[in-house]
Amino acid sequence: MGNVEEYPIIWLQCATCTGCSVSILNSESPTIKNILVDEILPGKHLNLRFHPTIMAGAGQAVIEEMEETKQRKSGSYILMIEGAIPTIEDGNYGCIGEKDEKPITMLSAVESLGKEALAVIALGTCAAFGGIAAAHRNPGKCVGVDKLFKSLSIITPLINIPGCPPHPDWLVGTVASFLLNGLPKEEDLDEYRRPKAFYGRLIHERCPRRADFDEGKFAKNFNKPGCLYELGCKGPVAYADCPLRLWNGGVNWCINAGSPCIGCCEFGFPDVVSPLYQKMDVEALPIVGRRIEIE
Amino acid sequence: MNKIIIDPVTRIEGHLKIEVSVENGEVKDAKSSGMLFRGIEFILQGRDPRDAQMLTERICGVCPTSHSIAAALNLDSAFGISDKIPDNGRIMRNLILGAAHIADHILHFYHLSALDYLDITKVASYDGSDAVLSSLRNFAERGKLGPFIPRYEGDYRLSDEITLNVIAHYIEALTMRRKAQKMVSIFGGKMPHNMGVIPGGVTMVPTTDKIISFIWRLNELRDFINTIYLPDVLAIAEAYSDYFEIGVGCRNLLSYGSYDLDGKESDLTKRQRLFKQGTVSIDLNFNKLDITQISEEVKYSWYESGSAETEPKFGKEGAYSWIKAPRYGGKVYEVGPLARMMTNYVNGDPRIKELADPILSRFKAEPKNLFSVLGRHIARAVETKYIADSMQDWLLQLKPGESSYVDYIIPDDSIGVGLIEAARGALGHWIEIKDKKIANYQCVVPSTWNLSPRDDSGQPGPVEQALIGTKIKDESNPFEVVRIVRSFDPCIACAVHCIKM
């Protein structure tokens, strides 16, 4: 057991609802116990040094633990960020804790930990793109990690795993790929730094109600069969593998529950897909999947 | 006077700071501070009202179902269809909410609270053959006990045998809460942030295959609740019985009631519900709910005072929290499972009495002793069983293949109210619609009540009152403080809200 390689992880919660953490708790295989306690892959253990919802300690002791991990493991820890980062009032709308009675803003924590991390995973749409916290009026002037890093010229490798919440498999798969193959190559990520393995195709391309769309059979109201396009479904512009992967261990997913996709993995969610239950313009539909006239 | 600052308070939802002043080993003063402001209600203004349940559930990833249902009830009311929701829709909402409450309560006891009572490092000396405990021992032997070290040291009282049992249950509870989340997903589409609850009912038509797959997951959970969760809560109560006297709080409880048993009464304060509406004081005085008694005060919160809308104002003189101070009839009220249990208890609910009375007699306790740290844990476990047992009947009342949704027209102008009980207590949503858009949206959320700072007249909030007067045995390991705070199951993303209507 001396050969187990430890991968320190610092998990920051910023302007979040904790839904991303709860989603990861729902991981089916590996379970959360496998992820945190066991060797997630032979000889490799994810060593969670800081996670506000899980860790036993509290107060300054855990802040010191976080800082010590940063110093001792500089350049070798993975930084997980959940939630957007409030920038208004020097970041004072959101604090993760304090040291010697000085509050530590989310803004300063993301900056100082982000600079020295081996890699940063922005988990969830808020961390990736601002998400709900940054929706119109954006009272806290919240931003996603990518935007913040660019403004601060931080060049630490960044992977976005959006979703409101993200599917646990998307995180676990990304981490496993990193443990086996190292950081993703640029061609493995899309223009929004999302792993193509999970976000490479539109919901619409693989939707079980696709045949209804192609045949023009649209549900006119909830509870009715047919494609949900007229009820506002954003599947035609949303990238994720939900139709194949399903949610909560395969028991269901949004469209199978008769609910239109709300495009929760997209840059600009929720504003760009609002009103959520309003039919998108036909012009917004992608070329891919448009019905081809058969001669 | 010594100051103890706990920031962050961990193993809760969100960003909470607790500060207590201690003199001669006793807490003389306490302050509860919410440390994140997002302003979801500002974000809702100007949007399509139908989006409210999708956006407000994202206030909280732990209790999204409660927000989605509060919002749906709010919109039903604003759209004038409160009395028209099909029974299938009403029942599926109950099942979605119930499954989420079961998941939340199991998570709260094992994963958020138990480490305050349980010496998890004892697993290092485990020499038996149980696979889970052995894997935990291997984990401990590697010497990297993150995230379980650092922690407070000292007051761990459970025997070795009970400790190892509860550690094994900590792991098993991870599986069980995941199963309960699957149950939400069966009718809600996914979890967290279920998609199924909408104004008018639920998006999905119930089918027999879904019903039976729900029933058998529920059966597994009922076994776990009966044979593991409830006994573990009582085992901890046995070892820490002094906590029947610790963390009494503000001595007044408030419940909006929850789980609609009929859908024909439009006034939610009068609707027949599994958990009844009302207030209960520590001398078991019951009063009917009157929501016109609710007010919110901001003298000690980082908001401008006095205006119609409460705008954020960080650094306001004297203020110390992003949480506002809701009050009922000008007085301080605690919300949560204890409020629900006691409201039904004083109304003579036979099932609640059947569950609670044997526990009271086992610990030679009076109902007033339930106003305590242990009372809150016991109430949570008791209601988990009560809800799970009730869900079996509800599942069989569903009519497979029949509608769970009723259509509506969005009015040009309207107002609405949605009242429900989230896992953590009374949750209210209010809406004002103008020109078919959201003009104003307000949430008053359980942790806003419980974690509130002082109000305009200087009365401390429920958690603050529960802390003041507490004896602290070891100021460098203030177990009493975190045990009291966590007994309320704080949810700070929920607690911070801003709009005044």
Side-chain angles (χ1 to χ4, degrees):
Chain A
M1 287 195 301
N3 299 330
V4 176
E5 219 174 327
E6 299 286 343
Y7 290 83
I9 293 179
I10 298 174
W11 187 307
L12 281 186
Q13 291 183 328
C14 296
T16 174
C17 70
T18 310
C20 301
S21 283
V22 174
S23 188
I24 304 313
L25 270 183
N26 287 345
S27 182
E28 190 85 6
S29 190
T31 65
I32 191 69
K33 183 252 181 190
N34 301 144
I35 294 169
L36 296 182
V37 171
D38 300 331
E39 295 168 30
I40 186 167
L41 285 164
K44 294 174 195 292
H45 176 236
L46 299 177
N47 188 347
L48 186 65
R49 302 308 305 169
F50 186 90
H51 188 305
T53 325
I54 296 176
M55 58 194 169
Q60 184 145 327
V62 298
I63 295 292
E64 283 167 0
E65 180 68 23
M66 180 185 87
E67 291 183 342
E68 198 199 308
T69 303
K70 179 189 141 193
Q71 279 154 19
R72 215 161 18 90
K73 305 286 180 184
S74 181
S76 64
Y77 62 88
I78 298 167
L79 179 64
M80 300 272 189
I81 299 174
E82 171 180 0
I85 301 108
T87 62
I88 195 171
E89 298 265 13
D90 299 325
N92 273 304
Y93 276 30
C95 294
I96 61 157
E98 60 188 75
K99 193 176 174 195
D100 302 329
E101 300 195 26
K102 286 198 190 71
I104 301 167
T105 62
M106 293 158 184
L107 181 64
S108 66
V110 169
E111 179 179 1
S112 75
L113 291 162
K115 273 183 193 160
E116 295 185 30
L118 168 65
V120 176
I121 293 179
L123 184 64
T125 302
C126 296
F129 310 131
I132 288 283
H136 174 68
R137 189 175 157 180
N138 192 351
K141 295 210 184 334
C142 285
V143 296
V145 176
D146 190 26
K147 191 168 171 184
L148 182 71
F149 275 15
K150 280 180 181 142
S151 73
L152 298 169
S153 306
I154 294 174
I155 52 165
T156 309
L158 172 69
I159 306 168
N160 284 328
I161 306 184
C164 193
H167 195 293
D169 290 2
W170 301 338
L171 176 67
V172 171
T174 301
V175 170
S177 168
F178 162 73
L179 295 176
L180 291 171
N181 312 315
L183 287 167
K185 298 181 188 68
E186 279 305 310
E187 63 264 30
D188 298 333
L189 303 176
D190 73 4
E191 60 184 307
Y192 296 108
R193 307 203 62 75
R194 301 179 291 196
K196 287 180 189 164
F198 307 113
Y199 304 89
R201 307 274 291 271
L202 290 165
I203 297 279
H204 189 57
E205 288 179 75
R206 304 193 277 199
C207 181
R209 300 194 189 199
R210 179 56 191 272
D212 291 325
F213 176 86
D214 287 350
E215 291 168 20
K217 291 179 184 164
F218 297 110
K220 301 294 176 197
N221 217 329
F222 295 103
N223 274 199
K224 303 294 182 208
C227 170
L228 299 170
Y229 167 64
E230 292 188 356
L231 298 179
C233 187
K234 304 302 185 295
V237 294
Y239 287 87
D241 64 6
C242 305
L244 300 186
R245 189 168 301 281
L246 309 179
W247 275 75
N248 301 97
V251 298
N252 216 341
W253 73 292
C254 308
I255 286 174
N256 275 0
S259 177
C261 168
I262 60 171
C264 72
C265 300
E266 290 310 299
F267 183 88
F269 170 85
D271 292 348
V272 298
V273 286
S274 293
L276 300 173
Y277 297 99
Q278 188 166 294
K279 186 172 85 169
M280 283 187 303
D281 291 341
V282 176
E283 293 71 44
L285 291 177
I287 300 301
V288 53
R290 185 172 288 171
R291 205 170 163 211
I292 297 164
E293 294 295 329
I294 298 169
E295 286 177 22
Chain B
M1 196 101 82
N2 297 331
K3 197 154 64 171
I4 301 175
I5 295 173
I6 305 175
D7 182 15
V9 177
T10 49
R11 284 184 280 119
I12 60 158
E13 195 294 325
H15 300 87
L16 175 69
K17 166 184 174 176
I18 294 287
E19 180 178 329
V20 296
S21 306
V22 182
E23 193 172 52
N24 301 323
E26 187 179 310
V27 175
K28 295 293 178 195
D29 193 17
K31 282 182 181 170
S32 156
S33 306
M35 299 305 286
L36 167 67
F37 173 79
R38 288 184 298 166
I40 302 282
E41 290 143 312
F42 287 129
I43 288 167
L44 281 159
Q45 288 175 339
R47 292 182 193 260
D48 187 323
R50 295 173 299 169
D51 293 356
Q53 77 286 350
M54 284 296 132
L55 297 176
T56 57
E57 73 173 334
R58 287 168 165 83
I59 287 171
C60 180
V62 184
C63 47
T65 49
S66 317
H67 282 287
S68 67
I69 293 171
L73 290 171
N74 188 16
L75 295 170
D76 292 346
S77 132
F79 298 165
I81 51 167
S82 290
D83 56 346
K84 297 185 180 61
I85 307 303
D87 281 343
N88 271 352
R90 170 181 62 81
I91 295 166
M92 287 163 84
R93 286 178 181 177
N94 284 346
L95 292 165
I96 286 170
L97 187 65
H101 278 197
I102 294 170
D104 276 10
H105 288 352
I106 292 172
L107 177 84
H108 176 261
F109 179 69
Y110 285 100
H111 310 117
L112 305 185
S113 300
L115 295 179
D116 292 338
Y117 305 90
L118 178 70
D119 181 1
I120 202 162
T121 64
K122 280 192 177 172
V123 80
S125 57
Y126 178 71
D127 59 1
S129 56
D130 179 84
V132 168
L133 289 172
S134 302
S135 71
L136 283 165
R137 183 201 54 221
N138 293 345
F139 166 69
E141 277 178 357
R142 289 203 298 267
K144 308 281 183 190
L145 268 169
F148 301 116
I149 298 285
R151 60 170 188 173
Y152 292 158
E153 298 295 344
D155 188 27
Y156 297 108
R157 306 181 200 166
L158 301 176
S159 70
D160 290 3
E161 189 192 348
I162 293 176
T163 298
L164 288 173
N165 276 337
V166 181
I167 292 172
H169 298 159
Y170 176 103
I171 300 295
E172 189 179 350
L174 288 168
T175 307
M176 299 315 294
R177 63 151 294 286
R178 175 160 51 86
K179 279 187 203 287
Q181 294 248 317
K182 280 174 191 271
M183 284 157 57
V184 179
S185 184
I186 288 172
F187 293 130
K190 83 177 192 333
M191 190 61 184
H193 301 326
N194 89 84
M195 302 290 287
V197 175
I198 51 169
V202 171
T203 56
M204 209 172 102
V205 175
T207 54
T208 314
D209 60 318
K210 297 280 187 189
I211 293 169
I212 193 150
S213 91
F214 195 110
I215 286 177
W216 281 97
R217 289 189 167 96
L218 177 62
N219 285 342
E220 273 187 83
L221 278 151
R222 291 172 76 193
D223 283 346
F224 178 82
I225 294 160
N226 291 335
T227 63
I228 294 176
Y229 175 27
L230 259 167
D232 280 351
V233 172
L234 299 181
I236 284 182
E238 204 73 72
Y240 292 87
S241 59
D242 45 331
Y243 280 82
F244 276 116
E245 311 282 342
I246 295 174
V248 176
C250 61
R251 296 173 167 79
N252 283 310
L253 305 172
L254 169 74
S255 170
Y256 290 164
S258 211
Y259 299 105
D260 290 334
L261 301 179
D262 97 86
K264 299 298 161 219
E265 171 58 64
S266 292
D267 182 346
L268 299 179
T269 66
K270 299 198 173 77
R271 188 173 271 191
Q272 199 199 338
R273 291 181 149 176
L274 183 72
F275 290 110
K276 310 298 173 209
Q277 303 88 333
T279 64
V280 181
S281 63
I282 197 163
D283 49 14
L284 304 191
N285 206 356
F286 171 79
N287 274 298
K288 286 193 170 153
L289 177 66
D290 171 11
I291 55 169
T292 65
Q293 297 293 310
I294 300 167
S295 63
E296 284 197 302
E297 301 173 9
V298 298
K299 185 173 172 187
Y300 293 92
S301 314
W302 287 308
Y303 302 100
E304 297 266 16
S305 307
S307 57
E309 266 190 9
T310 34
E311 289 286 333
K313 190 181 182 190
F314 179 76
K316 186 176 97 176
E317 182 71 25
Y320 59 90
S321 182
W322 285 115
I323 302 173
K324 298 206 295 188
R327 296 294 183 256
Y328 183 85
K331 289 205 263 181
V332 184
Y333 278 78
E334 172 182 341
V335 300
L338 179 64
R340 293 193 281 271
M341 184 172 84
M342 294 314 293
T343 306
N344 277 30
Y345 189 88
V346 298
N347 278 288
D349 179 341
R351 285 286 290 131
I352 284 288
K353 286 186 84 70
E354 200 179 289
L355 291 166
D357 283 337
I359 297 173
L360 288 171
S361 59
R362 171 171 167 181
F363 291 100
K364 298 185 177 53
E366 302 286 319
K368 70 171 168 38
N369 296 121
L370 295 170
F371 290 64
S372 65
V373 168
L374 283 178
R376 291 183 195 101
H377 285 293
I378 287 168
R380 210 168 268 119
V382 161
E383 81 159 18
T384 308
K385 176 168 170 56
Y386 187 42
I387 294 166
D389 290 350
S390 306
M391 285 165 74
Q392 174 94 14
D393 295 337
W394 299 340
L395 279 155
L396 297 175
Q397 290 164 13
L398 285 173
K399 297 199 174 66
E402 292 187 16
S403 172
S404 61
Y405 170 80
V406 66
D407 205 9
Y408 52 81
I409 292 163
I410 303 175
D412 290 338
D413 301 295
S414 187
I415 55 168
V417 57
L419 303 172
I420 196 142
E421 287 283 317
R424 289 150 198 84
L427 171 63
H429 283 203
W430 285 263
I431 192 170
E432 186 184 355
I433 297 172
K434 280 186 186 154
D435 300 328
K436 296 190 190 292
K437 298 266 191 279
I438 299 174
N440 245 325
Y441 203 99
Q442 184 193 32
C443 310
V444 182
V445 182
S447 294
T448 323
W449 290 93
N450 288 340
L451 278 298
S452 68
R454 278 150 182 75
D455 55 35
D456 290 4
S457 62
Q459 301 178 91
V463 165
E464 292 177 339
Q465 290 195 29
L467 289 165
I468 293 168
T470 303
K471 299 259 193 305
I472 308 292
K473 283 187 199 132
D474 172 4
E475 288 177 30
S476 48
N477 294 286
F479 278 105
E480 295 86 354
V481 175
V482 291
R483 285 172 184 160
I484 290 170
V485 173
R486 292 194 181 109
S487 74
F488 286 85
D489 194 3
C491 187
I492 307 304
C494 282
V496 176
H497 288 286
C498 53
I499 305 281
K500 192 154 102 184
M501 284 181 80

